[in-house]
């Protein structure tokens, strides 16, 4: 077969209608590559209009166990992320988590 030992999953959410991301893309998307064994986030990308948004979220997620992010994400974003897409980040992560659980059986 192949040498891919990871899962790719994407989460989707809506932002405010006046948000630039919504105006450009219609939705907010976050994509994760997750290691098959450790379940750590290996790579991350998201729709954005400001490059720093993606770089900041990248640093937040890389190396973290994907299913454990739920335990700290909301608090961390409230304390450290002043972007208008804060709620969209949470909803998008939860959507990706549900997809990952279905794909992998890790409920």
């Amino acid at each position: 077969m192949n040498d891919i030992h990871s899962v790719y999953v994407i989460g989707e959410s809506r932002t405010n209608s006046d948000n630039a991301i919504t105006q450009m893309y219609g939705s907010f998307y976050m994509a994760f590559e997750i290691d098959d064994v450790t379940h750590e986030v290996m790579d991350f990308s998201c729709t954005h209009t400001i490059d720093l948004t993606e770089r900041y979220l990248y640093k937040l997620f890389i190396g973290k166990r994907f299913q454990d992010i739920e335990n700290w994400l909301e608090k961390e974003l409230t304390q450290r992320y002043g972007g208008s897409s804060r709620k969209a980040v949470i909803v998008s992560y939860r959507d990706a988590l549900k997809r990952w659980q279905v794909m992998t059986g890790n409920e």
Side-chain angles (χ1 to χ4, degrees):
M1 281 226 302
N2 57 45
D3 290 333
I4 297 176
H5 302 286
S6 61
V7 173
Y8 172 83
V9 66
I10 195 161
E12 177 185 7
S13 66
R14 306 270 182 222
T15 59
N16 301 335
S17 61
D18 61 341
N19 185 293
I21 293 171
T22 301
Q23 292 176 3
M24 287 182 69
Y25 303 108
S27 291
F28 179 73
Y29 297 96
M30 295 195 318
F32 298 88
E33 181 182 6
I34 304 156
D35 185 275
D36 282 342
V37 176
T38 66
H39 304 157
E40 289 182 0
V41 177
M42 300 168 58
D43 204 357
F44 170 84
S45 187
C46 68
T47 52
H48 61 282
T49 55
I50 302 170
D51 289 339
L52 181 56
T53 300
E54 183 176 47
R55 291 194 316 264
Y56 190 85
L57 292 173
Y58 178 91
K59 289 189 283 187
L60 200 63
F61 292 124
I62 290 300
K64 305 299 189 296
R65 281 179 43 91
F66 188 65
Q67 67 270 41
D68 294 344
I69 293 170
E70 175 69 21
N71 299 329
W72 53 262
L73 181 60
E74 198 164 345
K75 181 179 179 187
E76 191 74 12
L77 291 177
T78 299
Q79 292 177 345
R80 301 183 183 281
Y81 184 79
S84 61
S85 57
R86 181 186 304 147
K87 185 174 179 181
V89 170
I90 295 166
V91 172
S92 187
Y93 163 75
R94 289 178 178 158
D95 183 51
L97 178 62
K98 287 177 190 172
R99 293 172 195 242
W100 177 78
Q101 290 170 330
V102 168
M103 291 170 65
T104 63
N106 289 303
E107 299 287 331

